[in-house]
């Protein structure tokens, strides 16, 4: 099935896919667990409100009105039982926690749209919106990312003249974000434990909302500085297929793409007059993110909350707090916000080519990305336990393409993590491997950029280990070139190639291995072709097509045992078609 070609068409398709799961009271129920989850209802109501304004269907206005009524009842009654918020893959057990903090922006925004449309419940609902007690309704406090969500909604309530909160109180809440050390203003980065790229983006988006909604208080200059620095970071950590580079929790969730759409569209609107070049880059990035988001529409079923379209009850790529009702509607609501901020109702334009560049971060993230044309590669030198492995985490090959490498793959048999990259052996043959991606490697020095514009180098060592590990990654017109070695290793080397086998879209990746003096691997999915060229002959190949997965679907694994003694491997990844 073709993906909808415009933002409004995708929003319509996504929202309609959840229509069958709305209760008579407007509350959204999860397709798998059959009960309300976290914050899906207000975000779905906001989506329907935007559709009622931009591309109405007779069902939109009632769905938005009913969802708002139910969400506001929940806000006015903090003693109501919380909705389901954890979902165990092993046995289907659900748990519940308070996530009302997430209600406020979609509720206030949807209310304002329905007022514009002349909804007859506007006067009654306005009184309820005015009466919501922030302190009682919302549990999180600045500088947590949850509090940035309700603070965004509160900024809009203030702009509408509906807030009873004193100016000094609001400014104190906002100031905590900048005074606590959680925001690294020069880097444009919001810190959470584990330093996820997802919640950095999430928090900066909600703070940017304040500017877009007309905030002019004492923190405006700091917000503007964060917008510019954060935009440059977001441009750098967006991969060439439009997705957000994976790092720690909530990576591979489709709301990351929706949030990128909203953030980049907001930045483009805010900077259009003062910095048209940077605004243009933001608009290009918003369309790349939209291209990625469109891939997570299931051919038959509810819009996917994760970076694959496998059936919801398989829960591939899900985390314990992820279910379809809330996370997919969060993604769609961010798209709706992007539409409101200017992501036009037109087909996505051709992706703008990216010049060769490297982006390097030291403390606290220890990550690097390289880009050139259709190529992007991501190196994670300080992965979070239980989420990512060390080394070359992702390689992507341009907008609209399904084939890629990464993010980190896990083996279901032993829970071990795998990235594309080097493993070493003490003996010839299919002997035990030391997988470098699983080792507790730590950088010996900051990641270095260069010498070419799209290149980075990293040296790392395991505590107490005498062998220095090195990796160099470069992106250029000829593809992505990688060299890995362990100094002093006098045994044998293996290249591990975990790859996406099945994302649920009806295509399975076909693999062919050949070569003599050097080894090549062809990967084919539909019309897409990738070539992996290894600068060494192979001794044997082991191909495993079952028992692996990552955030993007079911995976296979190639084990290429290289011939002869060698301390590393050199290889190149290139688009053939």
């Amino acid at each position: 099935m073709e993906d909808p070609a415009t933002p409004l068409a995708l929003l319509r398709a996504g929202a309609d896919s959840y229509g069958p799961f709305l209760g008579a009271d407007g509350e959204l129920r999860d397709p798998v667990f059959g009960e309300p989850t976290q914050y899906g209802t207000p975000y779905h109501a906001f989506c329907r409100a935007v559709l009622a304004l931009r591309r109405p269907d007779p069902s939109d206005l009632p769905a938005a009105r009913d969802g708002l009524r139910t969400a506001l009842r929940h806000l006015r009654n903090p003693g109501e039982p919380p909705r389901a918020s954890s979902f165990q893959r092993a046995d289907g057990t659900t748990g519940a926690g308070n996530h009302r903090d997430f209600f406020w922006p979609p509720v206030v925004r949807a209310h304002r749209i329905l007022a514009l449309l002349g909804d007859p419940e506007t006067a009654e609902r306005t009184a309820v919106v005015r009466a919501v007690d922030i302190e009682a309704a919302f549990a999180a406090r600045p500088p947590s990312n949850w509090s940035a969500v309700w603070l965004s909604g509160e900024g809009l309530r203030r702009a509408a003249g509906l807030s009873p909160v004193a100016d000094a109180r609001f400014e104190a809440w906002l100031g905590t974000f900048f005074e606590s050390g959680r925001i690294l203003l020069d880097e444009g980065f919001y810190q959470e434990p584990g330093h996820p790229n997802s919640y950095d983006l999430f928090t900066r988006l909600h703070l940017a909302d304040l500017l877009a909604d007309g905030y002019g208080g004492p923190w405006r200059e700091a917000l503007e500085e964060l917008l510019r620095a954060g935009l440059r970071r977001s441009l750098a950590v967006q991969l060439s297929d439009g997705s957000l580079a994976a790092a720690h929790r909530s990576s591979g969730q489709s709301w990351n793409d929706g949030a990128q759409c909203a953030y980049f569209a907001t930045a483009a609107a805010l900077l259009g007059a003062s910095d048209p070049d940077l605004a243009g880059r933001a608009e290009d990035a918003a369309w790349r993110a939209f291209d990625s988001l469109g891939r997570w529409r299931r051919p038959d079923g509810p819009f996917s909350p994760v970076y694959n379209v496998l059936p919801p009850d398989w829960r591939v790529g899900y985390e314990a707090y992820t279910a379809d009702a809330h996370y997919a509607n969060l993604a769609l609501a961010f798209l709706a916000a992007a539409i409101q901020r200017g992501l036009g109702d037109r087909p996505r334009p051709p992706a703008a080519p990216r010049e060769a560049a490297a982006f390097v971060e030291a403390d606290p993230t220890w990550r690097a990305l390289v880009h050139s044309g259709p190529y992007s590669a991501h190196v994670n030198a300080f992965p979070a336990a239980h989420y990512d492995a060390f080394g070359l985490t992702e390689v992507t090959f341009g907008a609209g393409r399904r084939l890629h490498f990464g993010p980190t793959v896990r083996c279901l048999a032993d829970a071990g993590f795998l990235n594309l990259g080097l493993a070493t052996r003490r003996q010839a043959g299919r002997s035990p491997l030391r997988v470098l991606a699983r080792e507790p490697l730590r950088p010996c020095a900051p990641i270095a950029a260069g010498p070419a514009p799209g290149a980075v180098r990293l040296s790392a060592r395991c505590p107490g280990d005498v062998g220095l590990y090195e990796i160099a990654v470069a992106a250029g017109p000829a593809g992505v070139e990688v060299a890995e070695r362990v100094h002093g290793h006098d045994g044998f080397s293996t290249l591990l190639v975990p790859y996406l086998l099945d994302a649920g879209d009806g295509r399975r990746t076909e693999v062919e291995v050949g070569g003599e003096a050097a080894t090549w691997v062809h990967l084919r999915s539909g019309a897409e072709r990738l070539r992996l060229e290894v600068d060494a002959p192979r001794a044997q190949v082991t191909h495993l097509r079952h028992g692996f997965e990552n955030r993007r679907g079911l995976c296979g694994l190639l084990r290429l045992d290289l011939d002869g003694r060698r301390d590393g491997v050199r290889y190149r990844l290139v688009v053939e078609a």
Side-chain angles (χ1 to χ4, degrees):
M1 180 183 297
E2 290 294 322
D3 291 325
T6 69
L8 268 174
L10 180 60
L11 181 61
R12 164 57 66 202
D16 285 353
S17 76
Y18 281 89
F21 307 105
L22 284 173
D25 59 355
E27 189 158 35
L28 185 66
R29 285 159 174 77
D30 187 73
V32 174
F33 298 98
E35 59 185 292
T37 61
Q38 289 186 340
Y39 40 78
T41 298
Y43 280 106
H44 184 80
F46 172 60
C47 291
R48 291 301 194 101
V50 171
L51 286 167
L53 181 65
R54 298 297 187 99
R55 182 177 287 181
D57 176 271
S59 66
D60 289 329
L61 199 56
R65 182 190 302 125
D66 293 347
L68 271 182
R69 190 186 307 117
T70 296
L72 279 166
R73 186 197 69 227
H74 195 49
L75 286 179
R76 291 296 305 277
N77 296 279
E80 273 194 8
R83 305 312 189 228
S85 58
S86 66
F87 314 88
Q88 300 306 317
R89 181 175 178 180
D91 59 11
T93 298
T94 62
N98 172 24
H99 286 76
R100 283 188 299 269
D101 309 64
F102 284 52
F103 281 49
W104 208 212
V107 162
V108 180
R109 295 189 188 285
H111 167 63
R112 295 196 68 183
I113 292 173
L114 294 195
L116 185 65
L117 293 172
D119 179 61
E121 293 187 11
T122 295
E124 178 184 355
R125 193 170 50 244
T126 297
V128 177
V129 168
R130 191 190 300 272
V132 169
D133 182 349
I134 293 292
E135 305 276 4
F138 307 131
R141 293 292 178 265
S144 81
N145 77 72
W146 287 14
S147 65
V149 187
W150 64 251
L151 195 70
S152 164
E154 186 59 17
L156 186 61
R157 184 169 73 156
R158 287 166 59 82
L162 300 178
S163 175
V165 175
D167 288 352
R169 187 65 172 144
F170 182 84
E171 302 299 353
W173 284 330
L174 179 55
T176 302
F177 281 92
F178 295 96
E179 295 169 337
S180 63
R182 293 284 285 274
I183 290 177
L184 305 178
L185 206 51
D186 289 343
E187 289 83 358
F189 185 69
Y190 169 81
Q191 301 188 86
E192 284 249 321
H195 297 95
N197 283 337
S198 56
Y199 286 99
D200 160 54
L201 169 68
F202 181 82
T203 305
R204 286 191 285 107
L205 167 60
H206 286 96
L207 295 177
D209 282 342
L210 297 175
L211 290 174
D213 292 329
Y215 173 80
W219 296 102
R220 182 175 179 86
E221 185 175 341
L223 286 170
E224 291 175 337
E225 187 176 346
L226 177 62
L227 176 69
R228 288 178 176 273
L231 173 57
R232 291 188 173 91
R233 181 177 197 275
S234 284
L235 290 169
V237 298
Q238 183 186 45
L239 299 170
S240 64
D241 70 345
S243 65
L244 180 66
H248 201 259
R249 66 190 177 101
S250 281
S251 294
Q253 312 288 308
S254 59
W255 70 255
N256 287 326
D257 288 344
Q260 286 187 107
C261 289
Y263 181 75
F264 289 130
T266 300
L270 290 170
L271 297 173
S274 61
D275 195 337
D277 178 67
L278 190 57
R281 292 174 60 199
E283 184 176 359
D284 288 341
W287 283 107
R288 274 196 299 271
F290 169 69
D291 187 84
S292 182
L293 180 63
R295 290 199 292 276
W296 317 130
R297 181 191 178 209
R298 291 188 176 103
D300 182 19
F303 190 87
S304 178
V306 292
Y307 278 4
N308 66 71
V309 292
L310 292 163
D313 52 354
W314 289 25
R315 294 189 60 78
V316 174
Y318 288 53
E319 298 190 48
Y321 46 81
T322 312
D324 292 61
H326 58 284
Y327 260 39
N329 283 271
L330 178 61
L332 293 166
F334 283 144
L335 176 63
I339 292 169
Q340 293 291 84
R341 296 274 163 79
L343 196 66
D345 186 23
R346 56 189 174 95
R348 50 186 178 260
R354 300 173 87 172
E355 296 182 357
F359 176 72
V360 172
E361 291 183 316
D363 185 63
T365 62
W366 296 97
R367 299 172 196 147
L369 291 101
V370 295
H371 308 284
S372 180
Y375 300 104
S376 290
H378 175 210
V379 175
N380 191 341
F382 195 9
H386 311 303
Y387 287 95
D388 306 298
F390 184 95
L392 185 61
T393 307
E394 292 159 289
V395 184
T396 59
F397 301 91
R401 297 188 65 90
R402 172 188 183 275
L403 279 180
H404 63 280
F405 291 97
T408 293
V409 170
R410 67 188 183 106
C411 174
L412 302 181
D414 65 3
F417 283 160
L418 298 166
N419 283 343
L420 173 65
L422 176 65
T424 59
R425 295 168 284 140
R426 300 308 309 171
Q427 300 174 339
R430 293 184 178 87
S431 55
L433 297 175
R434 181 193 184 198
V435 180
L436 274 299
R438 297 178 179 176
E439 293 292 309
L441 289 157
R442 292 294 177 264
C444 301
I447 305 171
V456 294
R457 293 168 293 147
L458 166 67
S459 298
R461 192 189 303 274
C462 291
D465 198 341
V466 297
L468 183 70
Y469 168 79
E470 289 183 333
I471 181 172
V473 182
V480 176
E481 299 187 10
V482 185
E484 298 182 74
R485 65 182 298 210
V486 177
H487 288 267
H489 172 65
D490 60 356
F492 301 85
S493 290
T494 293
L495 180 63
L496 294 175
V497 187
Y499 66 91
L500 179 66
L501 176 67
D502 185 354
D505 58 1
R507 292 179 288 172
R508 291 173 67 87
T509 302
E510 299 176 17
V511 178
E512 180 185 3
V513 182
E516 294 181 1
T519 302
W520 53 259
V521 179
H522 283 165
L523 294 100
R524 182 171 67 246
S525 176
E528 294 180 36
R529 305 286 190 278
L530 295 180
R531 183 180 177 94
L532 168 64
E533 300 171 349
V534 185
D535 189 17
R538 69 192 185 282
Q540 60 263 320
V541 177
T542 306
H543 190 185
L544 305 174
R545 293 182 177 87
H546 180 69
F548 305 89
E549 65 179 45
N550 70 359
R551 292 158 170 148
R552 294 207 184 202
L554 304 178
C555 299
L557 175 68
L558 279 176
R559 170 176 166 159
L560 304 177
D561 292 324
L562 305 181
D563 194 26
R565 293 182 180 271
R566 58 187 69 243
D567 65 0
V569 61
R570 299 177 65 90
Y571 52 99
R572 182 165 69 102
L573 303 159
V574 62
V575 172
E576 288 196 320

